Amino acid sequence: TKTPSPSPMPRVSFVDDEKSRAYNKAKESEYGILSAILGVFCRADGNACEAERVLVEDMIGEMAKDSSKISKENLLEIYNDANPRDLEQLCMDFNEKTKGEYKKRLKVVEFLFVLAYADNEFCDAEREMIIDIAAYFEIDNDDFNKIYDGFESLYAGGEQLSKQEALEVLGLQEGFSDEELESAYAEVLKKTKGAVLDNKNISKTILEANAPLLQKIEKAYQTLKNNQSLR
């Protein structure tokens, strides 16, 4: 009888192995951990709106630019792979990576509020998760309440923009296309967000410096989008 030959072992290419190592290294880094936290948070309400997508992608680009050893592609993959069950451990790991950098963690919490209000609706799931994250980050109650109350007050109401005001905010002219609207919206959002993790501006709060204009951009976008749908 003929002895059957063993099945050949699947080959792992050198390229795949390198990609796996790069991904795992990024996942264990400060920015990889933060990307995973953002991934969990942005899906807290079951859906990430366009503003969240733009803001997070720009934030991840900011992190990749700051670290020459971590690619934007890996951070985006980590963001997409994030598991809600890992949130507490991710926050604890981020605490460990940012020892002595309280203001950085505070700035991240502010950015989470920006994401939560990006669709103009701060839902219960987002509220509960942001409270949990702030607790894991060991954010002082007074600091947290100041941010919480500030965003709540900012988004409590306010007048809607006229079409002309909305055009000026997004730098558009009459007759714009849907593609031009989406492109202008994304560009102005990214420009206004600024560098969240820039050490030079770490004490500059998002609530005071960026949030009011980010809210105005969202109002302008919704005004023009609704106008387009009426054509």
Side-chain angles (χ1 to χ4, degrees):
T1 58
K2 187 174 180 181
T3 304
S5 301
S7 300
M9 292 292 289
R11 293 184 177 181
V12 178
S13 73
F14 178 75
V15 173
D16 288 342
D17 196 40
E18 281 289 295
K19 284 183 178 179
S20 179
R21 279 202 294 267
Y23 174 85
N24 289 330
K25 187 173 182 180
K27 191 175 181 180
E28 294 170 1
S29 71
E30 175 188 326
Y31 289 156
I33 294 165
L34 180 53
S35 295
I37 292 171
L38 293 175
V40 173
F41 184 77
C42 284
R43 289 186 283 276
D45 61 355
N47 181 45
C49 69
E50 178 64 10
E52 286 176 277
R53 186 195 66 77
V54 171
L55 291 167
V56 167
E57 187 169 333
D58 191 61
M59 176 76 153
I60 286 176
E62 179 187 336
M63 290 190 278
K65 187 177 180 181
D66 188 56
S67 175
S68 58
K69 296 179 181 179
I70 304 175
S71 72
K72 182 177 180 180
E73 290 72 24
N74 277 332
L75 292 178
L76 284 171
E77 190 176 353
I78 292 165
Y79 167 83
N80 289 318
D81 290 345
N83 190 326
R85 289 175 294 184
D86 299 332
L87 182 61
E88 182 175 356
Q89 187 59 53
L90 287 167
C91 291
M92 297 304 180
D93 291 343
F94 190 70
N95 272 11
E96 187 65 26
K97 295 284 186 181
T98 58
K99 272 187 176 178
E101 296 182 280
Y102 176 79
K103 287 184 178 179
K104 178 182 282 188
R105 295 195 298 277
L106 190 63
K107 202 75 172 282
V108 169
V109 170
E110 272 200 285
F111 185 64
L112 294 180
F113 272 98
V114 169
L115 296 177
Y117 277 99
D119 58 1
N120 287 309
E121 185 179 349
F122 189 28
C123 73
D124 289 341
E126 290 170 323
R127 181 179 292 103
E128 290 171 11
M129 189 174 289
I130 209 167
I131 290 171
D132 286 344
I133 291 172
Y136 296 144
F137 279 5
E138 300 175 356
I139 300 301
D140 180 81
N141 283 338
D142 289 341
D143 288 337
F144 180 78
N145 289 334
K146 184 178 179 181
I147 298 170
Y148 188 105
D149 294 343
F151 273 92
E152 187 174 54
S153 176
L154 177 64
Y155 282 86
E159 297 180 3
Q160 293 301 311
L161 300 180
S162 69
K163 183 181 179 183
Q164 186 56 44
E165 288 172 327
L167 287 169
E168 290 173 4
V169 169
L170 296 184
L172 290 168
Q173 296 182 345
E174 288 280 5
F176 61 87
S177 66
D178 290 341
E179 291 76 15
E180 287 172 329
L181 173 59
E182 297 299 330
S183 177
Y185 176 55
E187 285 305 309
V188 177
L189 271 179
K190 288 187 283 188
K191 187 182 296 183
T192 305
K193 176 187 83 57
V196 175
L197 301 175
D198 183 4
N199 286 328
K200 294 178 182 177
N201 297 308
I202 203 70
S203 296
K204 191 177 181 182
T205 71
I206 297 174
L207 179 61
E208 294 172 354
N210 307 80
L213 187 50
L214 286 169
Q215 182 202 31
K216 196 171 184 179
I217 291 166
E218 184 60 30
K219 284 185 177 181
Y221 173 68
Q222 293 300 333
T223 297
L224 297 181
K225 193 172 183 180
N226 291 338
N227 186 267
Q228 286 285 76
S229 66
L230 295 175
R231 287 184 181 181

